[in-house]
Amino acid sequence: MWGGCWGLLAGAPLVSVGALLHALVALTQVEAANNEEPYSVELIKKNDIYGSIEHKVDVYVKVYTNSPFLVCMDLALSQKELVDPKYLWIGPNGKNLEGQSYATVTKTGKLMVRGFQESMSGSYTCTLSYDIIKTDTQEEKEKYKAYKFMVYAYREPDYTYQISVRFTTKECSLAANGQFFEGLKIHLDDLISHLTCHIIEPSYKCHVVKPPKHGLLHELFFTFKVNPFAPGWEAVCHQISYDCEDETNRRIQKARDLIEEFFHEQPLVLKHEFQNIPAIHYIDHSFEVTRIDSCRPGFGKNDVTHSDCASCCVVCDPGTYSPNNEITCRICKNIRIKYYGAKSC
């Protein structure tokens, strides 16, 4: 094979092995360039969000954190050479962001907003200008492109867990049912008190149940909520330099796990610690839990307007408000609210 190849070079000008290798590499690069995609995904940084000339780009920034870098160009243009690029960033208040204490604008036109708050939400626009030089005449022509980003503050929802469990009892009229309920509530509160969580809205009802292939049974249906805002929770938050919702959610999830573990252990406790099964005892596998989300005042969920952040509590848009821990922002009909994050109308 190699003999045949060298035979083809017979009579041709002498070419060094190094030059031949360079030529082969160049041919390989040209072939790869012809087959590659318009731009390389590997070149895109994870923390960069590019603009679009066709539509606005929605960006969601968690409160008190830094925004990702907003890039003053579209992805396709970023793969091209730009001559004398210039960038002008304008914030929601109409001010030039260059030199603002809360904004970082890099030499390559990237914007980062630091310590994002609800009042910083709104439209961020960037105008990119660059020169196009005709190679034959060296004539210069300036070209402009504008990009719009809608940047919204968001928070994680506050978690509350609703739990239901069932217990057997001899009769619905037993006074011991209510006493047992009060004792259970106190025990569960003690179980999670170190997490500054507590039991709220506890209730129970007694029902007569007819299971398949069994006679009538009397059962107690217990329901309650596990809430992360027990007295003293504010003191815990004061020890944290960032927003407290991550900490309260971590604690409430731990409280939920402790309560679930307590009920799952009940069959083993009955088996190993009681010779005679008590009249009131836990029904195995009756534990059910549902997470209920709520938003802080000034925030709400909207999976239509903010489908890219459907599970987030997004800052209320101008014209809307949220006065309490509801899940959605209300429309204000009395006055025109012109700012983000309104808590009253």
Side-chain angles (χ1 to χ4, degrees):
M1 177 178 177
W2 284 107
C5 289
W6 288 116
L8 291 174
L9 295 174
L14 185 62
V15 180
S16 68
V17 175
L20 182 61
L21 288 174
H22 281 295
L24 290 173
V25 170
L27 286 172
T28 303
Q29 290 175 335
V30 170
E31 183 178 358
N34 290 334
N35 294 330
E36 69 180 3
E37 297 179 357
Y39 42 79
S40 174
V41 176
E42 287 78 7
L43 296 177
I44 304 171
K45 294 184 178 179
K46 292 182 179 179
N47 202 36
D48 288 353
I49 297 181
Y50 286 82
S52 173
I53 58 174
E54 299 176 353
H55 56 81
K56 64 179 178 65
V57 176
D58 291 340
V59 181
Y60 298 89
V61 184
K62 192 171 182 178
V63 289
Y64 308 120
T65 68
N66 298 336
S67 76
F69 278 107
L70 310 182
V71 186
C72 188
M73 63 180 66
D74 54 84
L75 193 53
L77 192 61
S78 70
Q79 306 299 305
K80 300 179 181 179
E81 181 182 72
L82 298 182
V83 178
D84 294 331
K86 299 179 184 64
Y87 312 92
L88 175 63
W89 278 100
I90 302 297
N93 53 9
K95 289 184 179 180
N96 187 342
L97 293 175
E98 186 73 44
Q100 297 294 330
S101 60
Y102 56 86
T104 296
V105 180
T106 70
K107 293 181 179 180
T108 55
K110 297 181 181 180
L111 169 69
M112 173 189 283
V113 183
R114 299 190 301 275
F116 206 84
Q117 300 179 31
E118 49 263 54
S119 60
M120 297 177 176
S121 302
S123 174
Y124 288 76
T125 59
C126 181
T127 303
L128 165 66
S129 64
Y130 58 96
D131 292 335
I132 297 178
I133 303 176
K134 293 185 178 180
T135 55
D136 51 352
T137 64
Q138 292 299 301
E139 179 185 353
E140 296 184 10
K141 182 179 179 182
E142 194 168 25
K143 192 166 184 178
Y144 295 88
K145 287 193 175 183
Y147 302 96
K148 182 178 181 179
F149 299 83
M150 291 300 299
V151 188
Y152 302 96
Y154 82 91
R155 307 178 76 140
E156 295 294 338
D158 289 312
Y159 301 159
T160 296
Y161 288 100
Q162 179 167 300
I163 294 177
S164 63
V165 290
R166 293 161 68 173
F167 287 78
T168 61
T169 184
K170 282 188 174 181
E171 295 287 344
C172 285
S173 59
L174 284 180
N177 293 339
Q179 297 170 358
F180 181 85
F181 169 72
E182 293 297 328
L184 178 63
K185 182 179 65 173
I186 292 172
H187 179 80
L188 294 177
D189 257 333
D190 290 342
L191 184 65
I192 60 176
S193 61
H194 67 288
L195 298 169
T196 61
C197 298
H198 63 160
I199 304 300
I200 63 171
E201 301 178 20
S203 65
Y204 82 96
K205 290 183 179 180
C206 188
H207 296 279
V208 178
V209 179
K210 171 61 177 71
K213 301 179 181 180
H214 288 83
L216 298 179
L217 299 176
H218 296 82
E219 295 185 3
L220 303 174
F221 288 61
F222 290 84
T223 61
F224 56 90
K225 292 179 181 178
V226 187
N227 182 275
F229 304 117
W233 76 271
E234 297 95 337
V236 175
C237 287
H238 290 159
Q239 302 171 14
I240 301 172
S241 58
Y242 55 90
D243 186 58
C244 192
E245 63 200 21
D246 290 338
E247 178 63 15
T248 55
N249 284 343
R250 184 190 70 81
R251 288 170 177 260
I252 193 68
Q253 288 174 308
K254 177 63 176 176
R256 172 215 181 276
D257 292 343
L258 287 174
I259 292 175
E260 182 175 14
E261 182 181 357
F262 167 76
F263 284 110
H264 284 176
E265 288 178 349
Q266 293 305 301
L268 293 176
V269 173
L270 285 174
K271 181 178 180 180
H272 296 292
E273 297 187 17
F274 289 87
Q275 291 183 349
N276 298 316
I277 297 178
I280 301 176
H281 64 270
Y282 173 72
I283 298 176
D284 198 11
H285 305 300
S286 68
F287 181 90
E288 294 184 2
V289 59
T290 303
R291 198 184 86 186
I292 302 173
D293 290 352
S294 61
C295 297
R296 301 286 176 92
F299 292 80
K301 284 187 177 184
N302 190 322
D303 57 3
V304 176
T305 305
H306 301 294
S307 58
D308 291 336
C309 203
S311 63
C312 309
C313 290
V314 182
V315 65
C316 293
D317 290 326
T320 66
Y321 72 105
S322 177
N324 47 37
N325 291 351
E326 295 180 355
I327 201 66
T328 57
C329 298
R330 306 178 187 178
I331 297 176
C332 181
K333 299 180 180 179
N334 298 330
I335 60 175
R336 174 61 179 167
I337 301 175
K338 300 179 180 180
Y339 58 92
Y340 287 86
K343 300 176 183 178
S344 61
C345 178

